[in-house]
Amino acid sequence: MKFVRLFEPIIINRLFIQNRMVMPAMGLHYTKDYSFPERMQHFYRRRAHGGVGLMILGPVAFDDRGAAPAMPGIFDDRALEAFRIFLDELHRDTQTKIAIQLFHMGRNAPSPLYTGKPALAPSALKSRLTGLVPQAMTEEDIREVQAGFARGAKRAKDAGFDMVEIIACTGYLVSQFLSPLTNLRTDAYGGPIENRMRFGLEVIRAVRAAVGPDFPIGIRVAGNDFMEGGHTNAESALFCREAERAGIDAINVTGGWHESTTPQLTSHVPPAAYVYLARGIKEQVGVPVFASNRLGDPVVAEQVLRSGAADMVGWARPLLADPDLPRKVRDGQAALAIRCISCNQGCFDGIFTGQGVTCLVNPTVGREGELKIVPARMPKKIYVAGGGPAGMEFAWVAALRGHDVTLFEKEAQLGGQVDLAAAPPGKAEFLNVARSLEARMRAAGVKVRRKSPLTAAKVKRGKPDLVAVATGSRPITVGVPGADKPHVVDAWEVLRGNVAHIGRRIVVIGGNAVGCETADFLVSADCPKPENAAFLLVHGAEDPQRLRELLCRSLRQVTVVEMVERMAANVGPSTRWVLMKDLQMKGVALRAGTKLVAITDTDVVVETAAGRESIPADTVVMAVGARSVNDLARRIEQDGTPVVTLGDAASPRNMIDAIREGFEAALTV
Ligand SMILES: Cc1cc2nc3c(=O)[nH]c(=O)nc-3n(C[C@H](O)[C@H](O)[C@H](O)COP(=O)(O)OP(=O)(O)OC[C@H]3O[C@@H](n4cnc5c(N)ncnc54)[C@H](O)[C@@H]3O)c2cc1C
Ligand SMILES: Cc1cc2nc3c(=O)[nH]c(=O)nc-3n(C[C@H](O)[C@H](O)[C@H](O)COP(=O)(O)O)c2cc1C
Ligand code: SF4
């Protein structure tokens, strides 16, 4: 496809933006004291140089009550000065325009932990995120917060930002005023929708008065709160229409609230799933509308613009994965782009673990100033054993540095376990990890030998200076009576499609990621495909309730047995709840705290705190872990060749570790 619309300029108020790609705000958690540190500057600098049209820097706090010190504060003079210098530099060196997202979390602000003062909200309703009860805002509080937005916007303009964006989505302050769920006020700011909109509209007017008529102001709204009793697309569009009248120049439409149980960010969300929300708003307003969420495939993004549903497309995680995506698409190198797979393992889970945002497919995220691919001082001859994520990442980076790299893969296909990771429902995009690494290896000049296991003898003959052993792992089994029966199969074989006969009553042994995802795979196999369901719905062949049943009910009865008390304990928090929801909707029985004792021809015998019991099983699927495959490393080392062991071959973990290790090792050889 020719990318035409993505590269058309757009004008917002009087701001000229060179193309239609916008990087929406992302909380990075690279600061702890409202400052704008070097680490963050490196992150944004890298993205601006990649060619994105508009970059929304944020979230940024405008006071110490509405947010937390894990983001920069525009009220802080040190941060302001750092912004000023940084924006001067980016305006000098790049064409990217930079907006600021002014942030107020209302009842969800963790600020009480830092200030000792309660958070502010329309009503004193406990936050589900912090567990704290906020203070219902008085009229004075309302004026003060509105003035804070205006002051923040003026300081941002003076610092050199090109635009401000007011956050009015996600269940934060402005949306708390908008929603009848969180706004129980009986004064002029509560009750009917006209009153609930008042706070947000006054914020817009205050910001407009502070920055003047020519300065662009945007707003980020939830296209649908996805909260029962909350705003739908219709109310959201109504608010946007009023926001336009109050002086808004652009509307950035995202999905629902953080508290919603509708997934919005995992790979289960189909690409462009929420563009219809932007379209619903575009119908009601004349100012530019941005669509967002899961638009990282440039073809999808171009199609959204061509369809007229939105005027700009948001790329948040896609620009974490590859800051050069806009440039690559422009230069006809889209195939070389590193594609975000919506795993959330590095970005959202990086926030939850307190490490700050990083990325599974791009280990340089958050380390842009530190990790640089520079030519090797002494080019070496390097062999790589294993074409999984670890081996391929190592190979392309080492080759790019000038080393002579040959990668050996014993199978016909590259990718290692990537095909397994991609098999469960909603995970197909994991295949992009392998595709993209393969393309980068090719571009970097790595010689690839498929169906060619690396052996100690080959190493002796070839005499490389170094061997990178990335031979991965293989599944293990448990030594219980009956584990060798013919109806006992391995999860990897099931996911690879190598088991033709699977019964109706299935017990999966092991409730970590692989076990739970295999269970999901098994109960989804006989359900209609989403496009079939859409077809039946459109033609009125089945009613929505029956369709939901068809989509969620398998003929199979699957039980997952896990020894420890927590299922899917090794799945990151941003994704685990979606997996659990899926399994529960599809009727999978989850038996935590249950130990496998034996397997008979008809049952699985387990032990719980209540004693022994039998679970009928036609097929038993083993998902009890993996062990490293690394005997090659020992043999080569004995022969005196230097070896570096990477990824699962060092210890079975996951792709984020495999890729990070491959990258880091390639920088040091
Ligand atoms: C069902 C499932 C789901 C998963 N889901 C996720 C997930 O959601 N997120 C995540 O981060 N991780 C996930 N993982 C784990 C992840 O896939 C692995 O941690 C990752 O693939 C390890 O990469 P690697 O390169 O070290 O090893 P592998 O991917 O195992 O690759 C090793 C490669 O080496 C080759 N090889 C072995 N011996 C030789 C030899 N002597 N010569 C040449 N080639 C050889 C193998 O054929 C293989 O291609 C999942 C795993 C499974 C099984
Ligand atoms: C780590 C992270 C932090 C985020 N923080 C914010 C935020 O502070 N404000 C906001 O409006 N959106 C935030 N988002 C949402 C993104 O702007 C974007 O809407 C979302 O990631 C979906 O788009 P994508 O599929 O292009 O990533 C965040 C996203 C990520 C990945
Ligand atoms: S960690 Fe996963 S979801 Fe997040 S940006 Fe990277 S690839 Fe995308």
Side-chain angles (χ1 to χ4, degrees):
M1 171 183 259
K2 245 186 150 182
F3 299 104
V4 178
R5 300 297 300 272
L6 279 170
F7 294 96
E8 284 174 355
I10 184 168
I11 294 173
I12 297 179
N13 195 324
R14 299 199 181 169
L15 182 68
F16 175 88
I17 298 169
Q18 62 173 336
N19 59 46
R20 301 294 175 118
M21 292 157 268
V22 52
M23 184 173 96
M26 276 180 284
L28 300 172
H29 287 238
Y30 296 164
T31 178
K32 288 187 163 53
D33 57 0
Y34 291 115
S35 64
F36 182 52
E38 283 276 316
R39 187 181 180 199
M40 223 177 229
Q41 296 179 28
H42 281 303
F43 172 89
Y44 286 113
R45 182 180 291 115
R46 186 70 190 78
R47 268 99 208 140
H49 280 272
V52 65
L54 177 66
M55 185 164 86
I56 303 179
L57 194 156
V60 174
F62 57 81
D63 65 17
D64 68 352
R65 196 108 183 242
M71 65 187 69
I74 191 79
F75 64 93
D76 178 310
D77 286 340
R78 289 165 315 155
L80 188 78
E81 190 49 26
F83 279 140
R84 199 190 307 277
I85 296 167
F86 181 69
L87 293 166
D88 263 2
E89 176 205 314
L90 289 200
H91 285 140
R92 192 183 58 234
D93 298 345
T94 78
Q95 298 297 313
T96 297
K97 297 297 186 321
I98 302 130
I100 183 172
Q101 185 180 69
L102 294 177
F103 210 62
H104 198 302
M105 299 165 83
R107 68 172 178 160
N108 294 328
S111 55
L113 303 174
Y114 305 95
T115 62
K117 295 181 227 159
L120 294 172
S123 303
L125 295 171
K126 188 159 113 182
S127 160
R128 287 194 209 157
L129 304 186
T130 64
L132 301 172
V133 179
Q135 175 185 311
M137 289 164 80
T138 60
E139 286 235 3
E140 199 186 338
D141 293 327
I142 287 177
R143 296 287 158 255
E144 207 171 293
V145 171
Q146 290 172 340
F149 267 110
R151 220 172 19 249
K154 178 71 169 59
R155 280 169 76 89
K157 182 183 176 192
D158 293 346
F161 280 100
D162 300 300
M163 175 172 171
V164 293
E165 180 179 84
I166 297 161
I167 188 158
C169 57
T170 327
Y172 290 158
L173 184 66
V174 175
S175 41
Q176 286 161 27
F177 269 96
L178 288 171
S179 173
L181 297 176
T182 41
N183 182 346
L184 309 182
R185 300 175 75 98
T186 50
D187 61 5
Y189 292 92
I193 188 161
E194 294 72 25
N195 283 3
R196 300 198 309 271
M197 292 195 293
R198 192 181 311 278
F199 175 80
L201 297 176
E202 285 178 357
V203 168
I204 296 167
R205 287 189 203 105
V207 169
R208 174 57 71 212
V211 296
D214 301 340
F215 192 74
I217 309 174
I219 194 158
R220 191 155 211 211
V221 297
N224 183 326
D225 293 348
F226 294 133
M227 298 285 291
E228 210 179 326
H231 274 195
T232 66
N233 197 214
E235 288 89 26
S236 187
L238 180 67
F239 173 64
C240 290
R241 213 173 55 199
E242 294 307 312
E244 183 178 16
R245 287 194 187 130
I248 280 295
D249 299 306
I251 296 167
N252 184 355
V253 185
T254 179
W257 286 22
H258 279 321
E259 295 146 71
S260 164
T261 54
T262 303
Q264 293 156 58
L265 294 160
T266 63
S267 56
H268 305 80
V269 179
Y274 295 128
V275 169
Y276 80 97
L277 298 175
R279 188 184 68 166
I281 286 168
K282 197 162 164 50
E283 242 182 320
Q284 299 290 329
V285 301
V287 293
V289 171
F290 312 166
S292 75
N293 292 47
R294 302 276 288 123
L295 300 172
D297 180 338
V299 173
V300 170
E302 172 78 16
Q303 279 164 346
V304 168
L305 294 175
R306 287 185 186 192
S307 75
D311 304 288
M312 289 189 86
V313 287
W315 282 350
R317 292 167 300 169
L319 292 178
L320 290 183
D322 194 338
D324 292 324
L325 184 57
R327 196 176 49 71
K328 286 179 180 166
V329 175
R330 186 197 63 198
D331 297 346
Q333 295 183 321
L336 288 181
I338 309 177
R339 294 276 293 277
C340 166
I341 54 171
S342 286
C343 65
N344 292 338
Q345 286 177 231
C347 49
F348 276 109
D349 291 343
I351 293 182
F352 289 123
T353 57
Q355 289 165 349
V357 165
T358 182
C359 175
L360 182 143
V361 293
N362 178 2
T364 68
V365 172
R367 300 168 73 189
E368 287 83 359
E370 171 199 339
L371 299 180
K372 298 239 157 61
I373 300 178
V374 291
R377 257 185 275 147
M378 291 261 292
K380 291 188 176 110
K381 177 176 178 179
I382 299 178
Y383 279 2
V384 180
M392 290 202 281
E393 181 78 18
F394 175 89
W396 83 269
V397 178
L400 209 63
R401 294 189 57 224
H403 294 298
D404 171 14
V405 182
T406 308
L407 180 139
F408 296 82
E409 168 54 54
K410 73 177 169 58
E411 304 294 336
Q413 268 198 339
L414 295 169
Q417 295 166 56
V418 166
D419 64 335
L420 296 169
K427 290 188 73 189
E429 285 182 37
F430 270 77
L431 289 175
N432 282 335
V433 174
R435 287 189 197 118
S436 162
L437 283 168
E438 208 176 327
R440 278 177 274 158
M441 283 203 301
R442 206 176 310 122
V446 176
K447 285 164 267 178
V448 176
R449 308 277 179 263
R450 294 162 196 259
K451 288 201 209 165
S452 176
L454 188 63
T455 59
K458 273 188 196 161
V459 172
K460 255 191 186 160
R461 275 200 304 278
K463 296 193 181 50
D465 301 309
L466 175 82
V467 178
V469 174
T471 41
S473 55
R474 70 166 69 98
I476 54 173
T477 185
V478 281
V480 298
D484 53 355
K485 286 185 179 291
H487 69 299
V488 181
V489 295
D490 184 80
W492 289 30
E493 294 304 311
V494 171
L495 293 170
R496 284 214 162 109
N498 293 338
V499 185
H501 297 286
I502 297 177
R504 274 204 184 174
R505 297 170 309 172
I506 304 164
V507 176
V508 178
I509 311 296
N512 251 337
V514 173
C516 288
E517 289 182 353
T518 306
D520 202 7
F521 174 88
L522 288 165
V523 287
S524 305
D526 61 336
C527 296
K529 301 270 168 282
E531 57 272 26
N532 297 352
F535 171 83
L536 298 172
L537 183 69
V538 165
H539 290 281
E542 298 289 349
D543 66 42
Q545 184 52 33
R546 173 69 185 139
L547 273 178
R548 197 162 180 275
E549 276 167 27
L550 284 170
L551 288 166
C552 295
R553 277 278 165 260
S554 170
L555 291 178
R556 288 175 168 159
Q557 295 152 27
V558 177
T559 305
V560 183
V561 165
E562 169 55 52
M563 210 160 54
V564 302
E565 289 300 333
R566 191 172 160 80
M567 285 283 168
N570 61 344
V571 178
S574 60
T575 308
R576 183 179 175 276
W577 68 273
V578 182
L579 176 60
M580 291 293 105
K581 184 181 172 189
D582 231 36
L583 294 176
Q584 272 149 17
M585 280 190 319
K586 292 175 183 164
V588 173
L590 299 171
R591 302 285 308 267
T594 304
K595 191 176 171 211
L596 172 69
V597 176
I599 300 169
T600 71
D601 287 338
T602 53
D603 291 279
V604 164
V605 183
V606 296
E607 199 165 60
T608 66
R612 284 199 173 187
E613 68 178 284
S614 292
I615 308 172
D618 307 317
T619 303
V620 180
V621 179
M622 284 289 173
V624 288
R627 75 176 164 79
S628 296
V629 174
N630 55 16
D631 5 331
L632 180 67
R634 273 194 299 278
R635 255 175 284 141
I636 301 172
E637 251 171 350
Q638 277 163 8
D639 293 343
T641 308
V643 168
V644 53
T645 307
L646 307 168
D648 275 17
S651 117
R653 283 153 299 158
N654 52 42
M655 251 176 250
I656 195 167
D657 296 309
I659 291 177
R660 193 193 57 249
E661 279 175 16
F663 188 93
E664 286 177 352
L667 291 193
T668 61
V669 294

